């Protein structure tokens, strides 16, 4: 089984030229071979992470009627509350056994929007900004790995069209429907995803051979995976890997699972055209990043 590598991001952020280049090679290999990695020493406060998880739990504990007042209503804003089974990440299976709350920079910087929600808490904005910093460091490493100027990707993400998503997978009180899971098999849509997860587990990643391997929480790390737009952009040099969250087959089925995902997206008007890193024929036609995201969201809800 191919293991998901653990990579020390601090060695890239603070290291000398040789150390940085070693990390760049590790990141290239992870993105090329499996599309997933664990980031060690990512540079975000543990206290802040704990605060955001606590706020997330408090929100999901609210009555459903209150949460529904903040319901997700449009792929154009991609913000708000998503109820259990509303999202179907795998169109061939029943709706996912999870609920979620999405916010972007616009909601976090405008206090009148979603005033009753997670977005009103300053810790959420601080967390969003910390995730943006981590993503930018990784995007710099991506550029160096592909022999591009270091700011190639960061300048195309500088409007912060990212989405922060809090997720709750509730305990199962009754048996799931046939073939139903907590999150269906899917790949992510953007450039990269940062995932913070609790110890309940259930995340699985599909290898190139079609096998599924567990991606449990490792203390003091976060999970990073590359998304569809990065796969298109790099002409499949980096891969966007299918993953899912399964229902545990032990006592954890009676436990809530919580995670927080930061979806890093390019500026909406960025043209995603295949790079000629290997002088190979482009696999995809160019597409605007915003257009691609709308297409994927329309197919998911």
């Amino acid at each position: 089984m191919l293991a998901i590598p653990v990579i020390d991001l601090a060695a890239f952020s603070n290291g000398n030229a040789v150390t940085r280049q070693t990390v760049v090679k590790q990141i290239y290999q992870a993105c090329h071979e499996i599309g997933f990695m664990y980031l060690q020493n990512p540079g975000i406060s543990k206290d802040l992470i704990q605060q955001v998880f606590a706020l997330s739990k408090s929100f999901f504990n609210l009555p459903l009627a209150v949460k529904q007042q903040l319901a997700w209503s449009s792929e154009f804003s991609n913000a708000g509350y998503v109820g259990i089974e509303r999202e179907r990440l795998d169109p061939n299976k029943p709706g996912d056994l999870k609920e979620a709350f999405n916010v972007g920079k616009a909601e976090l910087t405008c206090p009148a929007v979603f005033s009753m929600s997670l977005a009103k808490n300053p810790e959420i904005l601080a967390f969003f900004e910390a995730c943006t910093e981590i993503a930018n460091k990784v995007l710099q490493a991506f550029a160096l790995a592909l022999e591009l100027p270091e700011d190639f990707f960061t300048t195309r993400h500088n409007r912060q069209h990212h989405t922060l998503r809090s997720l709750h997978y509730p305990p199962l009180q009754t048996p799931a429907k046939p073939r139903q899971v907590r999150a269906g098999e899917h790949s992510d849509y953007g450039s990269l995803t940062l995932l913070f997860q609790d110890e309940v587990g259930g995340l699985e990643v599909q290898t190139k051979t079609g096998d599924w391997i567990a991606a449990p929480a490792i203390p003091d790390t976060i999970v990073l995976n590359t998304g569809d737009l990065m796969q298109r952009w790099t002409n499949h040099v980096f891969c966007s890997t299918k993953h899912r969250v399964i229902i545990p087959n032990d006592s954890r089925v009676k436990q809530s699972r919580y995670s927080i995902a930061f979806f890093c997206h390019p500026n909406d008007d960025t043209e995603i055209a295949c790079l000629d890193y290997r002088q190979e024929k482009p696999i995809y036609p160019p597409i605007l990043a915003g257009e691609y995201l709308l297409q994927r969201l329309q197919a998911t809800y």
Side-chain angles (χ1 to χ4, degrees):
M1 286 291 192
L2 185 66
I4 299 170
V6 178
I7 296 174
D8 185 355
L9 190 61
F12 176 77
S13 305
N14 308 321
N16 59 30
V18 174
T19 306
R20 277 168 59 89
Q21 190 56 34
T22 299
V23 177
V24 165
K25 288 179 180 176
Q26 291 172 341
I27 288 175
Y28 175 93
Q29 188 173 10
C31 292
H32 181 61
E33 291 182 356
I34 192 166
F36 269 78
M37 68 193 83
Y38 290 94
L39 291 181
Q40 201 170 42
N41 300 313
I44 184 170
S45 157
K46 293 179 191 176
D47 287 344
L48 181 59
I49 295 170
Q50 290 172 352
Q51 288 168 4
V52 173
F53 267 99
L55 289 167
S56 180
K57 290 176 184 178
S58 296
F59 173 77
F60 289 120
N61 282 336
L62 292 171
L64 180 59
V66 175
K67 292 183 286 191
Q68 288 289 17
Q69 291 175 28
L70 304 163
W72 187 100
S73 60
S74 165
E75 63 270 18
F76 294 98
S77 67
N78 189 30
Y81 172 71
V82 180
I84 296 168
E85 293 192 279
R86 179 167 183 199
E87 192 174 62
R88 189 191 304 263
L89 287 173
D90 184 341
N92 300 313
K93 291 188 175 143
D96 295 345
L97 292 172
K98 69 175 190 296
E99 56 181 342
F101 186 78
N102 295 2
V103 289
K105 193 66 180 285
E107 291 77 34
L108 291 169
T109 52
C110 180
V113 179
F114 292 160
S115 59
M116 299 160 53
S117 75
L118 275 168
K120 70 179 181 180
N121 295 285
E123 295 89 350
I124 303 296
L125 178 58
F127 186 80
F128 184 99
E129 290 175 341
C131 288
T132 300
E133 284 189 29
I134 296 168
N136 283 338
K137 289 176 189 173
V138 175
L139 289 170
Q140 290 171 343
F142 282 5
L144 294 173
L146 296 163
E147 299 171 14
L148 296 165
E150 188 168 340
D151 66 350
F152 178 87
F153 291 118
T154 53
T155 56
R156 289 160 174 82
H157 290 76
N158 58 11
R159 291 187 208 143
Q160 298 184 24
H161 289 161
H162 314 313
T163 298
L164 184 63
R165 170 170 251 209
S166 295
L167 291 142
H168 172 224
Y169 303 82
L172 262 65
Q173 310 295 350
T174 56
K177 297 171 185 173
R179 302 172 65 240
Q180 192 172 34
V181 293
R182 281 182 156 171
E185 175 185 327
H186 68 286
S187 58
D188 292 343
Y189 311 150
S191 302
L192 62 89
T193 302
L194 304 176
L195 180 71
F196 303 77
Q197 55 176 340
D198 67 14
E199 66 285 345
V200 174
L203 177 64
E204 292 189 339
V205 174
Q206 190 173 40
T207 67
K208 288 184 177 178
T209 58
D211 297 309
W212 290 95
I213 59 173
I218 297 178
D220 302 325
T221 70
I222 58 179
V223 175
L224 181 143
N225 62 282
T226 35
D228 296 348
L229 284 179
M230 191 57 66
Q231 178 172 276
R232 289 179 73 113
W233 222 339
T234 62
N235 211 26
H236 274 213
V237 175
F238 291 175
C239 55
S240 181
T241 304
K242 294 282 182 73
H243 49 285
R244 65 188 182 187
V245 179
I246 60 166
I247 298 170
N249 57 5
D250 54 26
S251 61
R252 291 173 300 159
V253 75
K254 301 294 185 185
Q255 293 178 259
S256 282
R257 177 184 189 265
Y258 293 93
S259 65
I260 300 164
F262 178 81
F263 297 110
C264 173
H265 290 280
N267 301 340
D268 287 345
D269 60 357
T270 296
E271 183 183 69
I272 308 299
C274 293
L275 298 165
D276 60 354
Y277 172 64
R278 293 177 169 173
Q279 282 80 48
E280 292 181 356
K281 184 179 178 182
I283 297 170
Y284 302 102
I287 190 170
L288 293 181
E291 285 181 13
Y292 181 81
L293 178 59
L294 285 177
Q295 288 176 13
R296 293 301 305 271
L297 290 172
Q298 286 164 350
T300 305
Y301 287 90

